[in-house]
Amino acid sequence: MRGMTDRPARWTRATVYPDMWADPADDPRDNGAGPEGEPATLAHFLANYRTTLRMKCEDLDPEQLAGRSVPPSTMSLLGLIRHLAEVERDWRNWITEGDPLPKLYGDGDADFDAAVAEQAVVDAAYADLEREQAATDAVVAGHPDLGERVGRERIAVRELQVHRIEEYARHCGHADLLRECVDGRVGQ
């Protein structure tokens, strides 16, 4: 990351709305008619936040992705990808009955601490995130009743889905600031 006196210039690719990440016609998130019903709405918002996180990480090399924010924080864009893979696994553990799956990256802040600037680490992080998202989505899909309480935690499916959206939304806010520190790119 750059020091306070070596800040990158702020910029955006958007030409229609300068506070946007991309012009509406170029935005991969679905901005059309909203989904019908609560399960579809929750899935839609989760998918949009997942896409937003990926957009904030696009076009960056391993060093940029692994760049830390401000000391003493260990947060980085790569760390966020790894963290969200870890929490997807944790959420799956909440809603299943069997023995919990082990942590992906170890205890403590290993998801952030070991987010180093190596292409193999970046590739593995994206693969872990995709795998864990798909696995958690598959378990959730098996419980269409949003009020059903599932797993050892007896958490309602609705509560889990809202918590997932909240976690991605919060970390997309972090990703906004991290990306701006990396190269100055701004936008929602």
Side-chain angles (χ1 to χ4, degrees):
M1 290 280 156
R2 300 172 191 275
M4 292 301 288
T5 59
D6 188 23
R7 294 183 200 163
R10 299 179 86 224
W11 65 281
T12 179
R13 285 196 182 137
T15 60
V16 178
Y17 303 107
D19 62 335
M20 303 284 269
W21 183 261
D23 286 328
D26 299 327
D27 194 332
R29 295 166 293 192
D30 181 13
N31 292 319
E36 293 291 327
E38 187 179 5
T41 299
L42 293 171
H44 175 80
F45 274 86
L46 180 59
N48 278 346
Y49 281 120
R50 286 174 171 174
T51 300
T52 299
L53 178 69
R54 285 188 170 272
M55 290 167 67
K56 295 296 177 174
C57 297
E58 69 187 6
D59 303 324
L60 297 178
D61 63 33
E63 185 175 320
Q64 291 170 312
L65 287 168
R68 305 302 166 112
S69 58
V70 292
S73 177
T74 60
M75 192 174 290
S76 67
L77 290 165
L78 179 57
L80 287 176
I81 294 166
R82 290 166 50 97
H83 173 70
L84 287 164
E86 190 76 76
V87 296
E88 286 281 358
R89 178 172 280 204
D90 286 345
W91 292 325
R92 196 163 65 257
N93 283 334
W94 292 0
I95 61 174
T96 55
E97 299 289 342
D99 290 334
L101 297 167
K103 293 218 170 258
L104 287 172
Y105 305 114
D107 292 327
D109 272 347
D111 41 1
F112 289 101
D113 290 336
V116 296
E118 297 172 9
Q119 190 62 52
V121 174
V122 171
D123 294 343
Y126 278 113
D128 290 345
L129 181 59
E130 289 175 19
R131 182 189 65 244
E132 297 302 320
Q133 287 172 336
T136 303
D137 290 347
V139 173
V140 169
H143 301 284
D145 177 358
L146 294 176
E148 181 184 0
R149 296 199 167 270
V150 297
R152 291 178 307 283
E153 303 288 330
R154 307 312 300 160
I155 187 171
V157 175
R158 176 182 294 103
E159 183 181 351
L160 173 72
Q161 289 294 78
V162 169
H163 184 67
R164 291 171 84 193
I165 293 165
E166 176 272 333
E167 182 85 2
Y168 276 91
R170 183 166 57 93
H171 289 311
C172 282
H174 295 134
D176 282 341
L177 297 174
L178 287 163
R179 179 61 187 255
E180 188 171 349
C181 285
V182 169
D183 71 352
R185 187 163 180 196
V186 296
Q188 91 308 345

